[in-house]
Amino acid sequence: MEKAYGERKPVRSFSRNEIFPSFASAIRFLYQQGQGDENLEPVIKVRSTGRPLGRLEDGDSVIFYDLRGEREIELTQSLTEENFSFFPRHKFPRLYFVTLIDYSPGLKVKVAFPNEIELRNTLVEVVCRQGLKVVKIAESEKAAHIGFFLNGKSETVFPGEERVIIPSSSLTSHESEPEMKAEEVSQEVLKKIKEKNHHLIIVNLANVDVIGHYENKEAAIKAVEKVDSCLGQIVAACRQNHIGLIVTADHGTVEEWLYSDGAINTGHTRNPVPFILSDFRSDRPEEIKLRARGELADVAPTILELLGLSQPEEMTGRSLIISSFDDFFTGGKIRKRGQTKERLHLSSKPLVLLILDGWGFRENLHGNLIAEASTPHFDFLWRSFPHSLLEASGEAVGLPAGTVGNSEAGHLHIGAGRRVPLDRVRIDQSLKDGSFFKNEVLQEAMARSRKLNSSLHLMGIVSHYSSHGTIRHLFSLLEMARQQGLKKVYIHSFIGRRGERPESGLYYVEKVQARAKEIDCGELATVMGRYWALDREKNWDRIERAYRALVEGVGYAVCPELFEPGSEIK
């Protein structure tokens, strides 16, 4: 159980010598102090009296326009739950709080675009319904991915499903510990293999994805090599115990470490991911034949075929296996597509699905840290066993064409066994057909602000590339507020480095201000790095920092009124 009022960093207040003439000058100053977009300390707008402008007050409406949701839950809880206890709130405004999508069941919010599709017959559900046992193992950084997303964006834990979550380090930055908890995760895998009590063991090794988001090449290579070392341990255990092993990934990262101009790319990629089948249950695993290409939705049907289970109609993915296995097994018969299905009994010989989070495939060696790292165990598997390349971005994982993959979409499609149109696609379509501007929940939030003469707050990531949201949705909400005739509209922008050029936060901030000025609606009130606002590891000291900025106005201050024109700090 979490301890309320745990150890926290002190909250920072501003002094007069920390007041800047503009957001741009404050951000440039913080860049010079060594801060980046990801961890930029909160910057707020104040009046000449020093009173913060555009803070969240009783009766105000808030629209949190981010997507995905797992990193948005904690901040939403702090702003909406009356009995919240993870840090003291000296001021708790009563808000009409709207989220663009459903972040989590039980949140006290209105949802503009609630889930329309309930995914049934996902991988774990199908396996457990047959009386088989599944165990999922990961460190807490990826707990939501092997749980909520892999189960079809469902909080359900199916009968026969077990989860082993290793607490991730509470370090400010994981780059100082690129090994993370991979060793502990691997030891749990070896333990479960020895127990011989599960039919399917699902594992996530988080290092490559997590460390790949830092501009630290040495740490990224260490992360790759640590994952490969753990892979070696798991391969040895599977071979010794005659267990089938599937190695794949959810998306790419460090295999495309550099942009074309040499700048570091800390984001996800559009590259395919590997799929290797080392079925040590078979006497001749190297003779199994797989399709050369596929997509993440093909993983679940392949696993079901290996377990001898029927593929449900809802799964439209296709098994990657293209040859019969009947001669390779004893004690049962694996099904052939289109023929009578008889379940293969492998109660003492489970199948391991190992997800190397962020491990993409790219033949080009330039800026390819996976190719640069020493990966003898992965290289051995790739040379020795059947393998495929799987599409893990864009339309193959329910995203707009050309969009990079992400962990949420990746795990969702691995488990769903079908293409699932994600929220961004659905909302973008509503913008095209105009229904976005007629959304009843969004209209109600704005109508309340107009009726009560209260403020409307638009809060979220500002980016063209982030999987957490897009600046286009912010601009659409600003246009909607303009059409509604709202005057007190405040923007609270979160910036980040993932998938962006260095110091791109300033570009987005200026773009937001330019659009607000162009349509004469909205005023930028807060800017902060997503490190503070978008946490998913119960680092409540970070969320407290974001809360203090949004509600109390604690942070570096911007006050153009106190400066003569032309005093901008360059």
Side-chain angles (χ1 to χ4, degrees), residues 7-38:
E7 190 176 321
R8 302 189 308 274
K9 298 178 182 178
V11 175
R12 193 182 210 288
S13 298
F14 68 85
S15 59
R16 297 294 293 179
N17 62 357
E18 291 171 329
I19 300 180
F20 296 87
S22 68
F23 278 100
S25 61
I27 292 169
R28 290 193 186 101
F29 170 78
L30 294 175
Y31 284 164
Q32 292 166 7
Q33 300 304 303
Q35 295 187 27
D37 290 333
E38 193 79 8

Side-chain angles (χ1 to χ4, degrees), residues 69-84:
E70 88 288 359
R71 286 189 179 273
E72 288 72 15
I73 293 171
E74 293 173 17
L75 182 58
T76 301
Q77 288 176 319
S78 73
L79 291 168
T80 59
E81 292 186 359
E82 189 166 353
N83 296 320
F84 181 86

Side-chain angles (χ1 to χ4, degrees), residues 37-38 40 461-462 493-497 505 509 527-530:
D37 290 333
E38 193 79 8
L40 194 89
I461 200 84
V462 285
S493 294
F494 308 147
I495 59 178
R497 174 70 172 89
V509 165
V527 175
M528 72 179 82
R530 50 169 268 171

Side-chain angles (χ1 to χ4, degrees), residues 256-330:
E256 194 166 350
W257 179 248
L258 300 175
Y259 290 109
S260 57
D261 63 359
I264 295 174
N265 173 17
T266 61
H268 298 162
T269 70
R270 301 176 182 85
N271 298 315
V273 298
F275 178 97
I276 307 172
L277 175 57
S278 306
D279 201 336
F280 298 117
R281 303 173 304 174
S282 164
D283 294 331
R284 302 191 299 277
E286 69 281 354
E287 295 184 13
I288 298 170
K289 298 189 184 304
L290 303 178
R291 289 188 283 119
R293 304 289 295 215
E295 58 187 63
L296 289 182
D298 297 333
V299 173
T302 305
I303 291 173
L304 293 179
E305 177 153 354
L306 289 167
L307 291 176
L309 301 179
S310 300
Q311 179 176 328
E313 291 182 359
E314 292 90 343
M315 282 192 186
T316 55
R318 296 188 299 139
S319 173
L320 294 161
I321 300 166
I322 58 176
S323 62
S324 170
F325 290 76
D326 294 349
D327 296 335
F328 297 158
F329 295 95
T330 59

Side-chain angles (χ1 to χ4, degrees), residues 354-496:
L354 178 56
I355 301 170
L356 309 182
D357 209 301
W359 190 297
F361 182 90
R362 178 168 167 260
E363 291 185 348
N364 190 334
L365 300 182
H366 176 69
N368 187 336
L369 299 194
I370 289 180
E372 190 171 330
S374 175
T375 56
H377 303 292
F378 180 88
D379 295 343
F380 165 73
L381 292 181
W382 190 255
R383 286 194 312 268
S384 306
F385 295 99
H387 56 260
S388 302
L389 289 177
L390 307 182
E391 295 301 320
S393 65
E395 293 172 311
V397 289
L399 293 166
T403 304
V404 300
N406 63 65
S407 294
E408 292 66 34
H411 283 79
L412 176 64
H413 282 76
I414 288 172
R418 73 210 76 171
R419 290 191 181 187
V420 182
L422 297 184
D423 297 307
R424 184 187 294 252
V425 173
R426 190 159 53 107
I427 295 169
D428 285 352
Q429 181 58 42
S430 76
L431 287 170
K432 288 181 181 179
D433 62 28
S435 60
F436 181 94
F437 299 96
K438 300 175 183 177
N439 183 281
E440 293 181 0
V441 174
L442 298 178
Q443 284 188 331
E444 175 63 19
M446 296 187 184
R448 284 175 58 89
S449 292
R450 186 173 60 250
K451 180 179 179 180
L452 300 175
N453 193 30
S454 60
S455 299
L456 172 69
H457 302 271
L458 305 178
M459 182 172 74
I461 200 84
V462 285
S463 172
H464 286 302
Y465 306 107
S466 174
S467 59
H468 282 275
T470 168
I471 198 171
R472 292 185 294 104
H473 295 166
L474 168 62
F475 289 170
S476 298
L477 289 167
L478 282 174
E479 174 59 26
M480 188 174 178
R482 185 194 68 80
Q483 294 174 6
Q484 297 281 339
L486 299 185
K487 301 300 181 184
K488 293 192 292 185
V489 179
Y490 297 106
I491 305 163
H492 307 275
S493 294
F494 308 147
I495 59 178

